[in-house]
Amino acid sequence: MNLYQKIEELLDKYQLEDLTLEELFLEADRIGNKYLTSQEIEEFNQRLSREVNDISEEIDKQFPDTEIEFIDFSKNSQAKYYNKQHQNSYKNRKF
């Protein structure tokens, strides 16, 4: 009976249906970190950082960005734009 009451309290406290996916991940991370030492958390963060950097480097190898793109936000731009609502008027220049 106590277990059922605790589960009900948790469900009432968090209202999981109202949480976004990001909030759910953050809550799971917070709960998981309670069972790890600070050294284990630091080691995990270092491994995660290395993995993210490796993935970023691999993406850069697969999809090299060979063009430099500048966006001209000046009002004196020579480009003509249609006057539509909710349309930004800026000019992309590729060199």
PDB file of all heavy atoms in Angstrom, residues 16-17 31 53 59 65 77 79 90:
ATOM      1  N   LEU A  16       4.150  13.986 -15.620  1.00  0.00           N
ATOM      2  CA  LEU A  16       5.027  13.640 -16.735  1.00  0.00           C
ATOM      3  C   LEU A  16       4.435  14.009 -18.091  1.00  0.00           C
ATOM      4  O   LEU A  16       5.167  14.303 -19.032  1.00  0.00           O
ATOM      5  CB  LEU A  16       5.364  12.150 -16.698  1.00  0.00           C
ATOM      6  CG  LEU A  16       6.132  11.698 -15.455  1.00  0.00           C
ATOM      7  CD1 LEU A  16       6.366  10.196 -15.491  1.00  0.00           C
ATOM      8  CD2 LEU A  16       7.444  12.435 -15.331  1.00  0.00           C
ATOM      9  N   GLU A  17       3.117  14.026 -18.200  1.00  0.00           N
ATOM     10  CA  GLU A  17       2.513  14.370 -19.492  1.00  0.00           C
ATOM     11  C   GLU A  17       2.809  15.815 -19.875  1.00  0.00           C
ATOM     12  O   GLU A  17       2.833  16.165 -21.044  1.00  0.00           O
ATOM     13  CB  GLU A  17       0.988  14.174 -19.465  1.00  0.00           C
ATOM     14  CG  GLU A  17       0.524  12.786 -19.123  1.00  0.00           C
ATOM     15  CD  GLU A  17       0.375  12.564 -17.614  1.00  0.00           C
ATOM     16  OE1 GLU A  17       0.099  13.527 -16.880  1.00  0.00           O
ATOM     17  OE2 GLU A  17       0.554  11.422 -17.186  1.00  0.00           O
ATOM     18  N   ILE A  31      18.301  12.392 -11.825  1.00  0.00           N
ATOM     19  CA  ILE A  31      18.078  11.209 -11.001  1.00  0.00           C
ATOM     20  C   ILE A  31      19.252  10.245 -11.123  1.00  0.00           C
ATOM     21  O   ILE A  31      19.727   9.695 -10.126  1.00  0.00           O
ATOM     22  CB  ILE A  31      16.746  10.522 -11.400  1.00  0.00           C
ATOM     23  CG1 ILE A  31      15.572  11.415 -11.019  1.00  0.00           C
ATOM     24  CG2 ILE A  31      16.618   9.152 -10.745  1.00  0.00           C
ATOM     25  CD1 ILE A  31      14.241  10.958 -11.582  1.00  0.00           C
ATOM     26  N   ASN A  53      33.033  15.486 -30.192  1.00  0.00           N
ATOM     27  CA  ASN A  53      34.068  16.066 -31.058  1.00  0.00           C
ATOM     28  C   ASN A  53      34.393  15.143 -32.223  1.00  0.00           C
ATOM     29  O   ASN A  53      34.565  15.605 -33.351  1.00  0.00           O
ATOM     30  CB  ASN A  53      35.326  16.376 -30.257  1.00  0.00           C
ATOM     31  CG  ASN A  53      35.179  17.588 -29.382  1.00  0.00           C
ATOM     32  OD1 ASN A  53      34.366  18.469 -29.656  1.00  0.00           O
ATOM     33  ND2 ASN A  53      35.949  17.650 -28.315  1.00  0.00           N
ATOM     34  N   ILE A  59      31.506  14.559 -39.392  1.00  0.00           N
ATOM     35  CA  ILE A  59      30.512  15.304 -40.181  1.00  0.00           C
ATOM     36  C   ILE A  59      31.219  16.323 -41.067  1.00  0.00           C
ATOM     37  O   ILE A  59      30.868  16.485 -42.239  1.00  0.00           O
ATOM     38  CB  ILE A  59      29.478  15.974 -39.252  1.00  0.00           C
ATOM     39  CG1 ILE A  59      28.564  14.922 -38.634  1.00  0.00           C
ATOM     40  CG2 ILE A  59      28.663  17.016 -40.010  1.00  0.00           C
ATOM     41  CD1 ILE A  59      27.641  15.453 -37.572  1.00  0.00           C
ATOM     42  N   ASP A  65      32.336  22.355 -45.827  1.00  0.00           N
ATOM     43  CA  ASP A  65      31.727  23.635 -46.179  1.00  0.00           C
ATOM     44  C   ASP A  65      32.767  24.433 -46.944  1.00  0.00           C
ATOM     45  O   ASP A  65      33.613  25.092 -46.358  1.00  0.00           O
ATOM     46  CB  ASP A  65      31.279  24.377 -44.919  1.00  0.00           C
ATOM     47  CG  ASP A  65      30.404  25.568 -45.230  1.00  0.00           C
ATOM     48  OD1 ASP A  65      29.949  25.678 -46.387  1.00  0.00           O
ATOM     49  OD2 ASP A  65      30.188  26.374 -44.323  1.00  0.00           O
ATOM     50  N   SER A  77      20.877  47.382 -49.592  1.00  0.00           N
ATOM     51  CA  SER A  77      21.093  46.225 -50.447  1.00  0.00           C
ATOM     52  C   SER A  77      20.474  46.483 -51.818  1.00  0.00           C
ATOM     53  O   SER A  77      19.402  47.064 -51.941  1.00  0.00           O
ATOM     54  CB  SER A  77      20.459  44.988 -49.814  1.00  0.00           C
ATOM     55  OG  SER A  77      20.611  43.899 -50.685  1.00  0.00           O
ATOM     56  N   ALA A  79      19.435  44.217 -53.868  1.00  0.00           N
ATOM     57  CA  ALA A  79      18.484  43.169 -54.242  1.00  0.00           C
ATOM     58  C   ALA A  79      17.051  43.681 -54.081  1.00  0.00           C
ATOM     59  O   ALA A  79      16.758  44.461 -53.194  1.00  0.00           O
ATOM     60  CB  ALA A  79      18.690  41.940 -53.374  1.00  0.00           C
ATOM     61  N   TYR A  90      16.802  40.188 -46.462  1.00  0.00           N
ATOM     62  CA  TYR A  90      18.248  40.235 -46.403  1.00  0.00           C
ATOM     63  C   TYR A  90      18.787  39.484 -47.604  1.00  0.00           C
ATOM     64  O   TYR A  90      18.095  38.730 -48.258  1.00  0.00           O
ATOM     65  CB  TYR A  90      18.798  39.672 -45.090  1.00  0.00           C
ATOM     66  CG  TYR A  90      18.374  38.271 -44.778  1.00  0.00           C
ATOM     67  CD1 TYR A  90      19.086  37.180 -45.266  1.00  0.00           C
ATOM     68  CD2 TYR A  90      17.275  38.022 -43.972  1.00  0.00           C
ATOM     69  CE1 TYR A  90      18.703  35.902 -44.984  1.00  0.00           C
ATOM     70  CE2 TYR A  90      16.886  36.739 -43.682  1.00  0.00           C
ATOM     71  CZ  TYR A  90      17.606  35.678 -44.192  1.00  0.00           C
ATOM     72  OH  TYR A  90      17.233  34.413 -43.898  1.00  0.00           O
TER      73      TYR A  90
END
